[in-house]
Amino acid sequence: MSFVKEFWQFLKIRKKFWLLPIIIVLALFGGLIVLTQGSAVAPFIYTLF
């Protein structure tokens, strides 16, 4: 959790709030790929890319 807290402080100090949606989308895609690895949904995920 210290990483998240430190990252939030970085965003506030540097005023780089535009990075937040990019990080969230990358985390969601990463989680989606990890969760669907080896399942029946995996072929449909790969067609998106």
Side-chain angles (χ1 to χ4, degrees), residues 32 35-48:
L32 183 66
L35 290 175
T36 59
Q37 198 75 18
S39 70
V41 184
F44 300 109
I45 299 298
Y46 293 124
T47 59
L48 294 175

Side-chain angles (χ1 to χ4, degrees), residues 8-34:
W8 179 250
Q9 289 176 352
F10 168 78
L11 290 177
K12 282 194 326 186
I13 292 169
R14 304 279 188 203
K15 302 205 182 336
K16 295 197 181 286
F17 293 111
W18 56 270
L19 284 174
L20 199 58
I22 297 170
I23 299 297
I24 291 172
V25 168
L26 286 175
L28 287 175
F29 276 134
L32 183 66
I33 290 172
V34 167

Side-chain angles (χ1 to χ4, degrees), residues 1-11:
M1 284 305 275
S2 66
F3 173 74
V4 175
K5 187 176 178 181
E6 187 176 334
F7 184 67
W8 179 250
Q9 289 176 352
F10 168 78
L11 290 177

